[in-house]
Amino acid sequence: MLKGKHIVLGITGGIAAYKSVTLLRLLVKAGAEVQVVITPSGKEFITPVTLSALSGKPVICDFFTANTGEWHSHVDIGLWADAMVIAPATASTIGKMANGIADNMLVTTYLSAKAPVFVAPAMDLDMMAHPSTKANIEKLRSYGNHIIEPASGELASHLVGKGRMEEPENIVKVLDRFFDDPADLPLSGKQVLITAGPTYEKIDPVRFIGNYSSGKMGYALARKAADMGADVVLVSGPVSLTIDHPRVRVVRVESACEMLAACVEAFPSSRLSIMCAAVADYALEHVESAKIKREHGEAPVLRLVKNPDIAATLGQMKAPGQILAGFALETDHEMSNAVEKINKKNLDFIVLNSLRDEGAGFRTDTNKITIIEAGGAVHPYELKSKDEVAADIIRFSIDKL
Ligand code: PMT
């Protein structure tokens, strides 16, 4: 709920500044009180007159109003704010924020703000890809700022989308969710652990064993659980997806062993855990430290060893009151294989999806599932979008808690 919230909207000098007008309009429409703070170069792209007309407040750019000498206190503005949103945030402003270079009103206000800060980067693709920009964005993340980027699907669209400012409607949604009163939601105060994506098992510095999981199903589950009020720990294998939800903490891992360690840490405080990741069942017995060369005699024989079973490990740790669910991705003997996994891993229920069903499984935007309970009850569902499937699974889980 944005109604009555005090929002500082920081605007910097990028071509996407025109989108800030829509953002401002939407924030005001949602009932927020907005104070615009603009950088000097932001004024080159958008006039303060438009912004003050929409916000109903004078736009602040400088430390003083030149003709009256009125002093604008960045500390007071920072304290007034319930949230600060910087959109668009250029590479230059991100760099200043990351490194404490307080040479304008906007960065000074940012440094004094006690409220949560949301940053929507906008710049060209090459600037976004520069290691210095990436490092600065990571610094902002590590300071607890929320980075709002367009959600990406496949890798290709992710690359096209990189650098583009998130649409104002989506920025408002992120803020809205942040100010939701989670006390009213069914999973509020509960931690939920979700695993997503594939794991990569290194062969040598350039090769790995992996699988086709895109992370779409697991990320949809994380988003839905968080929308229902949960504090979500999303343990994610390597995927090109991003998620920005104030109640989702992403722990990025690569291998099954790393995923196991992250899950073992989060599991004891999680009421509900859903293992959606496609974990590699095998890893290399020995990882080469140098690239295996093609010309070196015979083709190499790779010796594999079994990876730990993460779900089964958590199944052994499970305490009364905790719900542990797995997925079963099958190609044949679906039902019997799924039931065997429930027992072997001590699951409360399993979500079966079969690669024999069109539109189900890896990489698709849809899935077709059957939920099988440890007690034997079977609940089939229609083919639906992964967001809707996630909602079905989370609703089903809530009934079990
Ligand atoms: O990511 P997407 O592209 O959206 O695709 C979604 C999905 C197909 C990956 C997902 O819906 C799914 O089916 N995930 C589980 C895939 C899988 O590995 O299934 P499995 O039947 O091999 O494993 C059974 C269960 O044990 C799973 O919960 C798995 O997370 C878990 N497991 C498996 C192996 C292992 N070493 N440790 C585990 O915890």
Side-chain angles (χ1 to χ4, degrees):
M1 279 276 291
L2 276 162
K3 198 165 170 18
K5 292 286 183 275
H6 294 170
I7 309 288
V8 170
L9 173 59
I11 300 177
T12 72
I15 192 71
Y18 75 92
K19 289 190 185 176
S20 313
V21 176
T22 311
L23 178 58
L24 171 56
R25 204 170 45 75
L26 292 174
L27 289 170
V28 170
K29 197 169 153 210
E33 220 181 297
V34 185
Q35 174 62 64
V36 176
V37 179
I38 195 165
T39 61
S41 57
K43 286 198 290 188
E44 306 288 330
F45 289 84
I46 184 114
T47 78
V49 177
T50 311
L51 299 165
S52 65
L54 285 171
S55 67
K57 286 180 191 295
V59 169
I60 297 175
C61 178
D62 304 308
F63 294 98
F64 297 96
T65 302
N67 50 355
T68 62
E70 186 194 350
W71 162 250
H72 301 131
S73 163
H74 53 90
V75 177
D76 288 349
I77 301 168
L79 290 176
W80 172 85
D82 293 310
M84 182 165 185
V85 188
I86 299 163
T90 55
S92 158
T93 294
I94 288 171
K96 289 178 187 177
M97 289 165 67
N99 297 291
I101 301 170
D103 68 348
N104 64 36
M105 189 66 189
L106 176 51
V107 180
T108 327
T109 305
Y110 161 73
L111 291 176
S112 349
K114 297 276 175 282
V117 178
F118 297 80
V119 182
M123 63 198 75
D124 83 29
L125 188 60
D126 294 327
M127 289 175 83
M128 189 73 174
H130 195 280
S132 120
T133 313
K134 290 207 282 198
N136 285 332
I137 289 178
E138 282 321 305
K139 265 193 190 176
L140 291 187
R141 255 193 247 279
S142 73
Y143 302 156
N145 300 151
H146 303 269
I147 308 297
I148 308 180
E149 291 177 285
S152 55
E154 298 295 323
L155 190 61
S157 65
H158 182 63
L159 290 176
V160 171
K162 266 278 183 225
R164 180 170 60 82
M165 184 177 125
E166 178 57 294
E167 294 308 320
E169 291 75 9
N170 293 336
I171 297 178
V172 172
K173 269 192 209 157
V174 170
L175 290 169
D176 226 0
R177 276 201 298 252
F178 185 83
F179 288 115
D180 254 357
D181 186 359
D184 301 338
L185 299 169
L187 287 176
S188 82
K190 295 186 176 65
Q191 183 172 297
V192 170
L193 167 65
I194 309 276
T195 65
T199 64
Y200 285 180
E201 310 301 330
K202 276 197 170 69
I203 298 173
D204 68 13
V206 297
R207 304 179 180 93
F208 58 86
I209 296 176
N211 60 64
Y212 294 119
S213 173
S214 62
K216 285 180 186 173
M217 189 66 251
Y219 275 59
L221 282 165
R223 213 173 294 114
K224 185 46 74 178
D227 281 347
M228 296 280 204
D231 295 309
V232 177
V233 180
L234 172 60
V235 179
S236 172
V239 295
S240 64
L241 301 182
T242 57
I243 194 164
D244 192 88
H245 192 298
R247 286 191 291 276
V248 179
R249 178 166 70 87
V250 185
V251 182
R252 293 193 184 273
V253 297
E254 188 171 294
S255 66
C257 286
E258 287 170 13
M259 187 171 275
L260 174 70
C263 288
V264 164
E265 193 184 325
F267 183 71
S269 43
S270 300
R271 281 291 301 279
L272 167 67
S273 300
I274 306 178
M275 306 286 101
C276 182
V279 184
D281 285 310
Y282 300 97
L284 272 289
E285 186 181 58
H286 170 74
V287 177
E288 293 294 336
S289 56
K291 182 181 171 190
I292 302 170
K293 296 280 185 308
R294 181 183 161 80
E295 55 273 16
H296 277 179
E298 305 248 310
V301 175
L302 303 177
R303 281 192 63 80
L304 303 179
V305 289
K306 267 192 174 173
N307 261 334
D309 188 323
I310 301 169
T313 308
L314 302 185
Q316 283 173 6
M317 294 167 62
K318 192 167 66 172
Q322 283 188 295
I323 298 285
L324 174 62
F327 267 71
L329 179 62
E330 305 296 342
T331 54
D332 58 284
H333 301 99
E334 284 87 346
M335 234 357 150
S336 55
N337 286 340
V339 169
E340 199 182 313
K341 284 175 187 170
I342 296 183
N343 298 329
K344 215 174 109 194
K345 298 170 196 259
N346 191 23
L347 305 174
D348 294 281
F349 66 87
I350 200 157
V351 181
L352 166 65
N353 43 190
S354 171
L355 288 182
R356 282 205 282 194
D357 286 324
E358 200 167 319
F362 290 128
R363 296 194 283 191
T364 51
D365 288 322
T366 52
N367 206 359
K368 185 171 185 322
I369 61 158
T370 302
I371 297 184
I372 306 156
E373 296 188 60
V378 175
H379 311 268
Y381 294 81
E382 299 298 313
L383 180 77
K384 297 179 180 185
S385 74
K386 281 186 174 164
D387 283 340
E388 290 169 308
V389 171
D392 287 340
I393 296 170
I394 297 298
R395 267 196 297 267
F396 183 87
S397 309
I398 289 170
D399 288 344
K400 299 285 150 204
L401 282 172

